[in-house]
Amino acid sequence: MTKRWWHDKVAYQIYPKSFCDSNGDGIGDLGGIISKLDYLKDLGVDIIWLSPIYESPFVDQGYDISDYYKIAQCFGTMEEFDTLLAEAKSRNMYVIMDLVVNHCSSQHKWFQEALANPKSEYRDYFYFVKGKNGQPPSNYRSYFGGSTWEPVKGEKDMYYLHMFAKEQPDLNWENPKVREQIYRMINWWLNKGLAGFRIDAIINIKKDLEFPSFEADGEDGLVSCTKMVDEVTGVGDFLKEMSAVTFEPKDAFTVGEVFNMKKEEMEAFIGEEGYFSSMFDFSAHLLTLGEHGWYDAKPVEFKAWRQTLISSQLEAEGIGFKSNIIENHDEPRGVCTFLPDYARNEQGKKMLATTFLTLRGIPFIYQGQEIGMTNCRRNDISEYDDINTHDQYQVALDAGLTKEEALKVCHDHSRDNARTPMQWKATKHAGFTAGTPWLPVNLNYFSVNVETQARKPESLLNYYKELIALRKFPAYSEIFVYGDFVPAFLEYDNIFAYYRSLADTSVQILVIANYGREIQTLPLGNMLVEKVLLMNTDFKDDLRREARGKCCVTLQSCEAVVLLVSEI
Ligand code: GLC
Ligand code: CA
């Protein structure tokens, strides 16, 4: 495999609105991010991904862009952005931005022109389609609920397509002019010194221009628009072209938000000549989806989760690198989703961190994950900001749930769980702002915050630092980055274990985590412990010494170890 500059990097996602507010208006901003670069550097972060900071009416928190060349005022100025790039560079860090090009905002001048003048060339920048038999062109349900087709005011029987909110009209990628505009914009940012992009909702850019209807999958008579995405082919032609004229020549790092990829396309997406450098591994998150919505989702079961991650790891081997996450701005907090009740504590969080950071692939830490931020309780649906949450609350009510039950569903699944302000200190508003935060903080900030954890040597934050440092330690980094992933101890129902190994070295790394309630002893067979590299429980030097030369390992409930082992 040809080595690339980003293979051994650790990435961190910043949700700018909620990261750090430098001017007291309650909204996180570029000044705040710049002020925390040393914190991120110290944590061991190399690549910073910024969720959208472009000009936007914020119907979908910036994923509705009205000007691709401007920074939203609430975040700061282009000069501050340039300062951020320079400051990151001086610390050997890289900045990537969100590339949202499946759709733009309905406030974008292209869309405004298209509405104002049906003859304008911008009409073809979008999908304006005539209805069929007095109905919308097809029966697709948008990602945020309701039809994907919005009637055009003042024009009879005319609709435009939006896979997300109606304020997010889809861009017509079939139109070469649209593609040219997009590529020009990408190169403009790359020329500024941006290291690459996280690429939003990209699988959706290819449409079936016939817009066929499908059998309904819900009581609303609609069918998820993903059905069309699943059926249509040819997205690769666009992606190949985009990569060839933008990312490739600049050696940019790109990570795709790819759902609904056809299985056999892995190589085309993230192989050596792939459209992207990497793509997120959402396989575990797909386990959290209900059949009809959040309300009928089932809790994640350990063995299913383990099997899913194992298959996902093996699937990428020999092809490329996935990007691993336990949470992001669209998901509830990972510790609340993937840890059983009894493990939702410091030790359990360290165990999950151990599994997460030792898998093969590029780790993306989401802000606050490193201090173990959790889901946030709200007392009423009106306290939620997220557009998706309001839709899913209604879906739950329509399915017959009570208000309390629907609220509980939001508590477990809402995207706002990840969007509450970053918890820096035990002081008012968690030290996020001197003003009033745009979204109220999680009240557990008193115990869960950076300052307190930075002072405690055995805190989760310091454990994350140790794990990242271990991943990068020269003697082991080659194994962590390029080593094969070989699952182990599958016959134990509550153990998540695997070897990381390289063909030409005699030692291997063995990671074992006991997600069960009971103590477990595991015989290592023909392996011997050379060294304990890390443990999630306080371990003393004598314990390390004791472990040396052992041929079995005993783990308490929620204990995790990273071992260097060799064959006898
Ligand atoms: C992606 C983003 C999500 C956004 C959607 C529409 O899924 O991660 O936050 O709502 O695209 O742009
Ligand atoms: Ca601010």
Side-chain angles (χ1 to χ4, degrees):
M1 182 170 284
T2 320
K3 292 197 172 167
R4 306 296 294 272
W5 69 263
W6 40 266
H7 281 163
D8 59 355
K9 300 293 181 271
V10 172
Y12 187 96
Q13 180 187 357
I14 289 182
Y15 196 68
K17 219 172 167 179
S18 300
F19 189 61
C20 181
D21 174 22
S22 68
N23 63 353
D25 67 355
I27 298 175
D29 46 42
L30 290 170
I33 296 173
I34 294 168
S35 74
K36 298 296 182 189
L37 284 176
D38 286 334
Y39 165 75
L40 296 174
K41 181 73 192 173
D42 186 45
L43 180 58
V45 170
D46 306 294
I47 298 176
I48 299 166
W49 155 28
L50 304 178
S51 275
I53 53 171
Y54 312 88
E55 189 181 275
S56 162
F58 289 93
V59 169
D60 184 22
Q61 289 306 350
Y63 283 91
D64 46 326
I65 297 171
S66 52
D67 190 335
Y68 288 99
Y69 293 91
K70 287 211 176 103
I71 303 287
Q73 225 177 13
C74 63
F75 293 134
T77 61
M78 193 58 84
E79 287 68 48
E80 283 173 285
F81 180 77
D82 291 338
T83 306
L84 170 63
L85 284 182
E87 289 291 322
K89 192 168 179 197
S90 74
R91 290 167 176 82
N92 271 325
M93 294 165 91
Y94 305 81
V95 178
I96 68 173
M97 281 168 90
D98 227 296
L99 183 66
V100 189
V101 287
N102 172 66
H103 46 267
C104 60
S105 162
S106 52
Q107 296 301 314
H108 194 289
K109 63 175 189 287
W110 297 337
F111 192 69
Q112 288 296 317
E113 291 276 334
L115 280 185
N117 176 11
K119 299 250 150 24
S120 113
E121 65 161 320
Y122 294 109
R123 195 74 167 186
D124 263 351
Y125 274 45
F126 301 91
Y127 296 100
F128 283 86
V129 180
K130 276 209 162 318
K132 285 182 192 153
N133 312 316
Q135 298 286 319
S138 70
N139 65 342
Y140 308 150
R141 184 188 310 108
S142 78
Y143 285 103
F144 297 154
S147 171
T148 55
W149 297 103
E150 181 69 11
V152 180
K153 280 204 192 89
E155 290 180 46
K156 215 172 149 260
D157 203 28
M158 183 57 76
Y159 299 81
Y160 72 85
L161 179 76
H162 62 91
M163 308 272 274
F164 293 87
K166 66 177 190 310
E167 295 86 352
Q168 296 168 296
D170 282 51
L171 286 162
N172 177 7
W173 274 71
E174 305 290 338
N175 181 347
K177 282 195 195 143
V178 169
R179 303 205 300 275
E180 212 183 286
Q181 293 268 20
I182 292 173
Y183 305 156
R184 191 169 68 92
M185 179 268 293
I186 294 174
N187 283 323
W188 187 84
W189 284 102
L190 291 176
N191 287 338
K192 258 184 170 302
L194 202 72
F197 291 95
R198 173 266 187 184
I199 304 173
D200 185 70
I202 194 66
I203 203 82
N204 298 289
I205 61 173
K206 182 72 188 179
K207 324 292 196 230
D208 181 337
L209 299 177
E210 302 280 317
F211 297 112
S213 282
F214 297 98
E215 197 188 320
D217 64 8
E219 308 248 306
D220 54 4
L222 303 177
V223 60
S224 166
C225 59
T226 55
K227 178 73 182 161
M228 182 262 285
V229 176
D230 283 342
E231 299 283 317
V232 75
T233 54
V235 68
D237 298 336
F238 293 150
L239 299 180
K240 207 183 176 81
E241 180 185 88
M242 170 162 64
S243 170
V245 300
T246 60
F247 313 139
E248 245 174 64
K250 300 273 173 12
D251 199 18
F253 170 68
T254 53
V255 50
E257 186 201 26
V258 182
F259 289 99
N260 309 78
M261 184 192 75
K262 296 176 178 60
K263 245 201 149 58
E264 64 283 3
E265 287 184 323
M266 176 80 64
E267 172 94 42
F269 271 74
I270 59 164
E272 291 218 12
E273 315 267 290
Y275 316 136
F276 306 130
S277 318
S278 180
M279 60 190 247
F280 287 113
D281 182 3
F282 292 119
S283 60
H285 297 84
L286 293 176
L287 297 174
T288 67
L289 295 184
E291 206 182 322
H292 301 103
W294 293 350
Y295 75 89
D296 64 352
K298 303 214 169 41
V300 176
E301 195 256 324
F302 172 75
K303 272 174 84 174
W305 176 63
R306 178 178 71 174
Q307 192 46 52
T308 300
L309 279 184
I310 289 174
S311 309
S312 184
Q313 286 277 300
L314 296 176
E315 185 183 64
E317 216 148 64
I319 296 183
F321 288 86
K322 293 195 188 182
S323 288
N324 301 318
I325 57 162
I326 68 161
E327 65 208 43
N328 65 22
H329 66 294
D330 290 331
E331 297 292 336
R333 291 291 179 172
V335 292
C336 299
T337 305
F338 300 114
L339 286 175
D341 301 349
Y342 55 84
R344 290 186 193 166
N345 49 39
E346 286 283 301
Q347 196 182 328
K349 290 173 182 180
K350 288 179 186 169
M351 171 173 68
L352 186 59
T354 311
T355 304
F356 163 75
L357 272 160
T358 55
L359 292 173
R360 189 177 170 284
I362 299 150
F364 269 72
I365 298 167
Y366 179 71
Q367 67 182 44
Q369 176 185 328
E370 73 276 26
I371 52 169
M373 282 178 65
T374 60
N375 288 350
C376 181
R377 206 163 286 288
R378 303 289 193 212
N379 298 316
D380 191 81
I381 184 64
S382 61
E383 293 172 28
Y384 283 99
D385 165 84
D386 170 35
I387 182 170
N388 203 11
T389 306
H390 286 272
D391 174 50
Q392 288 293 328
Y393 179 76
Q394 196 52 47
V395 170
L397 291 182
D398 291 347
L401 273 69
T402 65
K403 282 187 173 177
E404 286 68 41
E405 288 165 344
L407 206 59
K408 169 80 170 74
V409 167
C410 296
H411 174 256
D412 291 341
H413 296 274
S414 174
R415 306 199 295 180
D416 277 1
N417 283 313
R419 299 176 182 187
T420 59
M422 175 73 182
Q423 295 166 199
W424 295 105
K425 294 179 184 166
T427 54
K428 197 166 178 204
H429 301 314
F432 159 72
T433 179
T436 307
W438 73 278
L439 192 69
V441 294
N442 189 326
L443 292 179
N444 67 6
Y445 72 86
F446 198 75
S447 52
V448 180
N449 68 70
V450 170
E451 197 178 63
T452 308
Q453 292 197 17
R455 257 189 264 125
K456 247 173 56 185
E458 72 286 3
S459 68
L460 181 64
L461 176 62
N462 282 318
Y463 188 75
Y464 261 90
K465 265 189 221 174
E466 277 183 70
L467 259 172
I468 296 171
L470 176 63
R471 221 189 128 87
K472 293 184 173 184
F473 191 70
Y476 312 124
S477 106
E478 192 80 5
I479 304 189
F480 280 121
V481 175
Y482 296 104
D484 284 343
F485 169 93
V486 186
F489 301 109
L490 287 172
E491 63 281 23
Y492 293 80
D493 286 347
N494 298 302
I495 297 290
F496 199 158
Y498 40 87
Y499 290 96
R500 300 294 317 278
S501 61
L502 285 168
D504 49 2
T505 51
S506 58
V507 290
Q508 302 187 29
I509 284 171
L510 172 60
V511 182
I512 318 177
N514 179 6
Y515 282 81
R517 266 181 204 276
E518 313 298 328
I519 185 169
Q520 222 22 285
T521 295
L522 308 159
L524 295 186
N526 61 342
M527 291 288 176
L528 269 189
V529 177
E530 288 283 334
K531 206 170 178 179
V532 181
L533 299 177
L534 197 63
M535 260 173 102
N536 71 334
T537 39
D538 302 340
F539 73 95
K540 313 265 171 340
D541 282 349
D542 49 333
L543 220 159
R544 273 199 204 220
R545 251 176 271 119
E546 240 174 65
R548 216 194 129 98
K550 284 255 167 73
C551 50
C552 69
V553 175
T554 297
L555 292 181
Q556 305 287 336
S557 166
C558 295
E559 233 177 348
V561 284
V562 184
L563 305 170
L564 194 68
V565 297
S566 63
E567 231 164 299
I568 296 171

